[in-house]
Every structure is written in structure tokens, then in C-alpha cells.
Amino acid sequence: MKIPIAADGSPYTKRMLAHLAAHEDWLGSANQYTVVYCTPALPPRAKAYFDRETLRSHSESELEKVFKAIRAFFKRHHMELAFIGKTGPAAEVIGALSDAGKFDLLVMGSHGHGALGSLRVGSVVTKVMASCKTPPLIVR
């Protein structure tokens, strides 16, 4: 199966990886993983204060912070995977990428804010599920 993993580097990402590790069939060679991380876009006013190289460097360092732990996790399980770093609203980017890549299953960790918290904070998981045709596996 082709499976994108939506990661944000939080404890919820670690919990989702632990869930995959606890189920041996998920970490087999039959699955092809792609890790996706979205950095939020800076507001135009903030962008005006930085040159392109500084913005690119900052984005790359944020990506590496998230990808480093995930790369180590999959290396321990002797698996190769692809990494995609994008800038923009996480829900839109993840949903569009999942559909465009013709993936079989999308794996995400959920912060578990609950109904009231999701109204206040918004939920990437909820937005992805509403806009994406790829079936999700949500780990809480």
C-alpha cells in the first residue's frame, strides 16, 4: 500500500508511530511510506522583513527537526521512506497531496481536542477528512 504519514513532530506523531510499530503488518515491505510535514506560511508582512535565503533556511531547519526522529524510527525498522515538506495550511496540503498521489490510506495522529475544542481551535484531522478522498487512519 502507498501510505502518507502526516507528521507535525508533536507527541501525537510519536504516538502514531508507536501504533504502527505495535502492529507488525504495518511496518512490512508491502507498504510504501511518505512522510508529509507542512510549515505554516508566514504572513506577507513578516515575509517582507526576511530575505529568501533566511526563509528557506528556517523552513529547512523546521523540516529537519520533524523528519530526524521519524527517519531514525524507520531506520530502526529497516525501512526506506520518502519525505515531503510543504508550506501552507496543513489540512489543505495534506488532503490535496493524498488525493493527487493516489495513496491507499492516510495515517495521522490526532490531538484529541474533542468537539468543543475543535470548534475553538479547529482540527486539521476534521478538515482533512472533509476534503480528502483517501481513507484515513486516525491515531489518538
Side-chain angles (χ1 to χ4, degrees):
M1 285 197 310
K2 286 178 59 179
I3 303 172
I5 295 175
D8 64 0
S10 71
Y12 305 98
T13 297
K14 292 177 184 174
R15 191 178 298 165
M16 181 237 330
L17 292 173
H19 178 80
L20 292 176
H23 299 85
E24 291 180 23
D25 50 330
W26 284 109
L27 295 178
S29 60
N31 298 321
Q32 177 186 352
Y33 288 101
T34 302
V35 178
V36 180
Y37 175 66
C38 299
T39 56
L42 287 176
R45 285 184 158 196
K47 276 186 178 179
Y49 289 102
F50 301 101
D51 62 89
R52 277 191 161 180
E53 181 58 30
T54 301
L55 292 172
R56 185 191 61 75
S57 175
H58 173 72
S59 179
E60 285 180 4
S61 70
E62 290 300 309
L63 288 171
E64 188 53 33
K65 285 179 192 175
V66 172
F67 290 163
K68 184 177 181 181
I70 297 170
R71 195 177 287 120
F73 170 83
F74 278 94
K75 187 175 182 177
R76 283 193 304 272
H77 293 282
H78 309 289
M79 293 184 67
E80 295 291 323
L81 64 158
F83 291 89
I84 297 175
K86 296 279 187 178
T87 300
E92 292 175 22
V93 171
I94 293 165
L97 181 75
S98 295
D99 289 342
K102 297 185 178 17
F103 289 99
D104 301 307
L105 180 71
L106 168 63
V107 178
M108 298 178 72
S110 173
H111 289 222
H113 293 297
L116 186 57
S118 292
L119 284 174
R120 183 177 48 83
V121 177
S123 171
V124 172
V125 170
T126 302
K127 291 174 185 173
V128 169
M129 287 174 44
S131 67
C132 182
K133 294 177 182 80
T134 305
L137 170 63
I138 310 302
V139 179
R140 276 186 125 173

